[in-house]
Amino acid sequence: MKKIHMMGVSGSGMSGVASLASKMGYTVTGCDLKTGGHNKKHLNGIDLLIVSPAVLYQSKNEPELLIAKKKKIVMTWEEFVAKFLMKNKFVIAIAGTHGKSTTTAMIGKMMIDNGFDPTVLIGAKIPEWNGNSRYGKSKYFVIEADEFNDNFLHYKPEIAIVNNIEFDHPDYFKNKKQFKDSFDKFIKQLVGEKILISEKDSLNKKFKLKVFGKHNQKNANMAYLLGKRLGISDQKIIKSLENFNGIGRRMEEISDNIFDDYAHHPTAIKTTLQGLRKKYPTKKILAIIEPHGYKRTKALLNLYDGVFDSVDKVIIGPIYKARDEIDKTISSEMVAKASNHPNAKVTNDVANISKNNNDIVIFMGAGNSNQWALNFVNNNISFKDLTTLKIGGKIKYFFEVRNKKELVEKVGFAKKNKVAIIILGGGSDILAGDRNFNGVVIKYINNKLQIIGSNVIAGAGVIWDDLVKETVDKNFSGIECLSGIPGTVGAAPIQNIGAYGQELSDTFVSLTAYDIENRKFTKFNKDACHFGYRKSIFKDKKYWQKFIITDVVFKLNKNKNLDLNKIRQDILKIRDEKLENPKDIPNAGSFFINPFVNLKTKERLEKKYPDMKFYPVDDKFKIFAGFLIEKAGWKGKSLGPVKVSDKHALVITNPQGIGHFKDIIKLVEAITKDVYKKFGLKLEPEVQYINI
């Protein structure tokens, strides 16, 4: 059995199986209704036709399937995985109505982090793997075990995890008893030591997770229990879980304050929304819901009561036709009514949903809602959503790209349509104009991070402070004083970020950037970047917005003497005391560059202002711009809807999020004028102006 064809290959499970099978020596071909359709010619020369359960329901009369059935070469992907890919493997299967994808991903990461090198198969996309499966060379095979169609009864795990059991899939299971009986059968499939971990075993440990919500705490507890069974230490388990970044379509922030979530069972929806409310207690939240399947919606209708209570407004779209037939006795209006939410509306026009005055928007469903979310982002995204100052006009084309291939494609799109390109990182050093931008905005979000020896290779999308934390945790010194600086790794070299005696250029080795004009990737070593004080060649007008940085290499030192974690925590504490957090109060970080003066000017200012501090740098002297602004009387002062921070005069804030580009410029001009009048020094902005 070496040649297989996969019918429905783009499915959430099938795509992962196809990837694994090809890496395990099979010749794999595939078809899908979305990519070319089905054809009986696909059967030529194959040993097996692998199908998803959905194909058996939705394409049961396809000649390709019917002929293969006559030849007795049809097998569901779950059967194929169990009979062939799991052969001679130590199987760990994660089941349950809710949370199995996230729990499986947490377990996969934990085992990878601790040297188990497992093969993992999940029904969701894992950003770090750029897919939903991961091939490992060890004996371990970790799988999300789905109960629909009794799929999980094909597996014979040595360890089984059952997160929870709540009635679901009424299009297959006739009643709650049949549903529970299926789980009982699954548990009886255990082999070897027959280890079962269930919700009743939880220790209720509290983790400092990056993913929020009580449900994720429960998922982490199940992963923790498995880790202990595998002999992993508490410290290593907790470190892995607390560095877990989440999975695709599980409270995935696809744009600033716009989330996409797979939840479609009423209980999962309720739990997820409660987690979102706890995360954003004062924000106005809009939820767009896609009920999943006519039979499921009808069978679970009474469970919708109170499900949306955590949010301010609910819009319910058309019911997704899953594996069942259209049933006119159930409707979206009935879901809205059953929810008893005072602000629940129904629409068939999901393409024209707008953000309006809502702060947070979440799309929920397992059918078309993902596309609704992506369309919403493209129709509603603005620089206000993408910058920490929360200012700027609408964007016509916005693309988040995860790898170099996607980057080349999106730049090609802009060139083909003859529109301008703007590149964004974390948006923390940006002031955008209020006009609508009719071009392409590209945000490169590759967040791959590797440490090889003393070299650190970081994708441009890695959050800068995550990089610092990771290196400090591994006891590497060189960037610990740059803790807490907002933004991404890709933006950091542009202005040669620095703080407390360290600069990025101290540890910088090289970077790779995509040349937009010449359409090629170019490597820049340290000399080629021409680093200076808060600047590099990429801040020069000739280079600014003409290169997209994709990854950066640093060389750090293995530390033997310093307590790097203490240094990091001290700096984070100082920054918290001195600077405004952009997540709490919109700002762009340090707005002005610290000016430098010559000896003559220094002596003049010293006579007039004895408390002014000067810091020698080569043959000049640095003065803190924040000191000048404060002495000019601007600290804590407002001008219209924008304000100079109460904490630090170097930071300009947009406290209510209602300020505009012109308001910031008016304040900047007033500050610059007063500082010049008082000290004879002209301040220059550190923040980059775009779309003006």
Side-chain angles (χ1 to χ4, degrees):
M1 291 291 181
K2 280 296 177 183
K3 294 183 179 179
I4 61 173
H5 181 75
M6 308 193 78
M7 192 175 175
V9 73
S10 297
S12 59
M14 289 276 275
S15 56
V17 177
S19 176
L20 289 181
S22 64
K23 290 172 183 174
M24 295 172 82
Y26 291 85
T27 300
V28 182
T29 57
C31 64
D32 196 277
L33 286 175
K34 296 178 182 177
T35 54
H38 305 309
N39 193 311
K40 61 185 180 182
K41 292 180 181 179
H42 295 158
L43 302 177
N44 293 340
I46 69 162
D47 298 309
L48 275 178
L49 176 68
I50 310 299
V51 300
S52 67
V55 166
L56 297 178
Y57 282 81
Q58 297 170 344
S59 304
K60 57 186 178 183
N61 295 318
E62 280 287 340
E64 183 176 349
L65 179 61
L66 294 175
I67 294 169
K69 278 184 175 181
K70 285 183 180 180
K71 291 184 176 182
K72 296 183 179 180
I73 59 169
V74 178
M75 192 177 283
T76 66
W77 69 257
E78 291 88 354
E79 289 179 272
F80 173 71
V81 168
K83 289 184 179 180
F84 295 97
L85 303 191
M86 285 181 174
K87 192 173 182 179
N88 300 322
K89 295 287 187 178
F90 184 107
V91 178
I92 301 171
I94 296 87
T97 308
H98 312 298
K100 51 186 176 285
S101 295
T102 299
T103 306
T104 307
M106 285 178 168
I107 288 169
K109 180 182 185 302
M110 178 181 67
M111 292 179 71
I112 293 164
D113 291 346
N114 289 283
F116 285 81
D117 193 20
T119 295
V120 190
L121 181 59
I122 305 178
K125 187 173 183 180
I126 311 301
E128 289 85 351
W129 305 345
N130 197 29
N132 56 354
S133 66
R134 189 257 185 195
Y135 175 64
K137 295 180 181 179
S138 75
K139 68 177 181 179
Y140 294 99
F141 196 117
V142 181
I143 189 166
E144 175 185 347
D146 180 26
E147 71 274 13
F148 174 73
N149 206 44
D150 286 328
N151 290 324
F152 59 2
L153 298 187
H154 294 294
Y155 311 141
K156 295 187 182 299
E158 299 205 27
I159 301 177
I161 293 176
V162 179
N163 278 355
N164 43 67
I165 301 175
E166 183 179 11
F167 181 62
D168 199 359
H169 305 298
D171 49 344
Y172 177 73
F173 296 104
K174 294 177 181 178
N175 50 50
K176 293 180 182 179
K177 183 181 182 304
Q178 186 187 1
F179 186 79
K180 185 179 180 300
D181 287 347
S182 184
F183 276 89
D184 289 338
K185 292 175 186 175
F186 169 68
I187 292 166
K188 289 176 182 176
Q189 294 284 99
L190 279 164
V191 297
E193 289 189 52
K194 299 184 178 181
I195 298 169
L196 172 65
I197 299 171
S198 67
E199 197 170 21
K200 68 180 181 181
D201 301 311
S202 179
L203 305 166
N204 292 317
K205 287 181 72 69
K206 299 296 182 186
F207 302 95
K208 296 177 182 178
L209 301 176
K210 292 182 179 180
V211 290
F212 49 85
K214 288 183 179 179
H215 57 301
N216 280 319
Q217 289 289 335
K218 289 181 180 179
N219 296 335
N221 267 273
M222 303 305 277
Y224 172 84
L225 289 169
L226 176 74
K228 295 300 291 180
R229 282 282 189 175
L230 295 175
I232 306 172
S233 71
D234 269 38
Q235 183 182 5
K236 289 181 177 179
I237 294 172
I238 292 168
K239 181 180 179 182
S240 178
L241 292 175
E242 292 185 347
N243 282 290
F244 176 71
N245 292 313
I247 63 178
R249 303 217 57 222
R250 302 310 191 274
M251 195 55 71
E252 182 181 9
E253 191 168 9
I254 58 173
S255 186
D256 192 42
N257 293 332
I258 301 171
F259 295 87
D260 179 27
D261 195 87
Y262 187 77
H264 48 287
H265 188 287
T267 301
I269 295 171
K270 183 175 184 177
T271 304
T272 303
L273 292 179
Q274 286 174 339
L276 191 65
R277 171 53 70 200
K278 188 173 182 181
K279 177 75 172 177
Y280 301 103
T282 62
K283 301 287 188 180
K284 290 183 69 177
I285 301 175
L286 165 65
I288 296 100
I289 309 295
E290 181 186 33
H292 192 79
Y294 288 89
K295 284 185 179 179
R296 178 191 246 132
T297 304
K298 192 172 186 176
L300 306 179
L301 187 63
N302 65 326
L303 296 181
Y304 277 97
D305 185 13
V307 162
F308 310 127
D309 286 357
S310 299
V311 301
D312 300 278
K313 184 178 180 181
V314 182
I315 296 175
I316 300 170
I319 297 174
Y320 177 73
K321 182 184 176 298
R323 293 174 284 257
D324 50 7
E325 299 299 322
I326 294 173
D327 181 353
K328 293 186 178 180
T329 65
I330 186 69
S331 66
S332 299
E333 286 79 4
M334 293 169 70
V335 175
K337 185 177 180 181
S339 74
N340 286 310
H341 192 284
N343 200 5
K345 310 293 181 186
V346 173
T347 185
N348 287 318
D349 188 17
V350 291
N352 289 314
I353 294 173
S354 63
K355 195 174 182 183
N356 291 329
N357 296 318
N358 298 287
D359 302 305
I360 307 287
V361 179
I362 180 169
F363 288 81
M364 308 186 84
N368 296 318
S369 60
N370 173 245
Q371 193 57 52
W372 297 355
L374 295 175
N375 292 340
F376 178 88
V377 167
N378 288 330
N379 292 338
N380 289 272
I381 199 73
S382 67
F383 287 108
K384 182 173 183 176
D385 300 311
L386 299 173
T387 61
T388 57
L389 249 176
K390 302 298 180 191
I391 286 174
K394 282 194 172 184
I395 298 164
K396 187 169 184 180
Y397 305 107
F398 171 67
F399 300 118
E400 286 187 332
V401 297
R402 299 178 186 273
N403 52 54
K404 291 178 179 179
K405 181 183 176 183
E406 289 181 8
L407 176 60
V408 172
E409 288 174 356
K410 300 313 179 188
V411 169
F413 172 87
K415 294 293 183 182
K416 182 179 178 181
N417 289 277
K418 298 180 180 179
V419 294
I421 300 173
I422 288 179
I423 305 111
L424 280 183
S428 62
D429 191 39
I430 296 293
L431 173 61
D434 291 314
R435 68 184 181 90
N436 291 343
F437 179 62
N438 292 319
V440 168
V441 172
I442 294 175
K443 186 173 182 178
Y444 191 71
I445 60 171
N446 182 300
N447 60 357
K448 188 174 182 181
L449 180 60
Q450 291 179 284
I451 298 178
I452 303 172
S454 59
N455 280 354
V456 178
I457 306 160
V462 173
I463 302 301
W464 174 262
D465 195 52
D466 287 350
L467 169 66
V468 178
K469 183 179 185 303
E470 183 72 16
T471 56
V472 165
D473 284 345
K474 286 184 166 54
N475 218 31
F476 284 100
S477 67
I479 57 175
E480 64 276 5
C481 293
L482 307 184
S483 293
I485 294 178
T488 60
V489 166
I494 296 173
Q495 61 184 42
N496 188 23
I497 60 171
Y500 304 105
Q502 287 182 347
E503 286 186 334
L504 174 139
S505 58
D506 297 337
T507 56
F508 178 90
V509 175
S510 65
L511 64 79
T512 302
Y514 188 61
D515 183 336
I516 294 173
E517 294 300 321
N518 297 307
R519 311 277 283 278
K520 65 178 183 179
F521 290 95
T522 304
K523 187 174 181 179
F524 290 81
N525 61 22
K526 186 174 181 177
D527 290 340
C529 292
H530 296 289
F531 289 117
Y533 180 74
R534 301 299 174 269
K535 66 180 181 179
S536 70
I537 195 171
F538 300 101
K539 214 168 182 180
D540 189 286
K541 288 182 180 179
K542 292 180 180 178
Y543 290 84
W544 169 242
Q545 293 288 328
K546 292 183 179 179
F547 284 88
I548 302 176
I549 296 172
T550 58
D551 53 74
V552 186
V553 181
F554 304 90
K555 189 174 183 63
L556 304 181
N557 299 309
K558 199 70 174 177
N559 171 64
K560 294 181 180 178
N561 304 311
L562 298 173
D563 186 342
L564 298 180
N565 262 304
K566 186 178 186 307
I567 294 172
R568 171 173 163 76
Q569 293 307 317
D570 287 346
I571 286 171
L572 289 174
K573 185 178 179 182
I574 292 169
R575 291 187 68 88
D576 184 59
E577 290 171 353
K578 290 174 61 177
L579 301 174
E580 305 283 6
N581 187 332
K583 292 183 178 179
D584 300 325
I585 300 177
N587 71 85
S590 300
F591 202 95
F592 296 97
I593 298 172
N594 293 321
F596 286 77
V597 298
N598 58 28
L599 179 61
K600 185 177 180 181
T601 303
K602 172 183 178 287
E603 291 172 346
R604 173 179 65 81
L605 291 170
E606 274 181 321
K607 288 180 182 178
K608 198 169 184 181
Y609 305 101
D611 58 340
M612 185 178 288
K613 292 182 173 61
F614 299 86
Y615 300 86
V617 180
D618 297 327
D619 61 340
K620 291 189 176 182
F621 300 88
K622 180 176 75 174
I623 308 171
F624 286 133
F627 172 87
L628 302 176
I629 297 166
E630 186 172 346
K631 287 295 183 182
W634 278 101
K635 185 177 181 180
K637 192 173 180 181
S638 299
L639 187 62
V642 296
K643 178 183 178 181
V644 177
S645 169
D646 294 314
K647 285 187 174 183
H648 200 298
L650 194 57
V651 177
I652 292 177
T653 69
N654 180 20
Q656 296 175 292
I658 59 173
H660 293 279
F661 178 84
K662 63 181 180 181
D663 299 315
I664 297 289
I665 293 300
K666 189 175 180 181
L667 176 57
V668 167
E669 288 175 346
I671 291 169
T672 305
K673 180 180 177 182
D674 284 357
V675 167
Y676 186 79
K677 185 177 179 181
K678 188 174 184 69
F679 301 103
L681 301 175
K682 186 178 180 182
L683 293 179
E684 297 290 341
E686 180 177 317
V687 167
Q688 301 293 316
Y689 295 178
I690 61 172
N691 190 39
I692 56 175

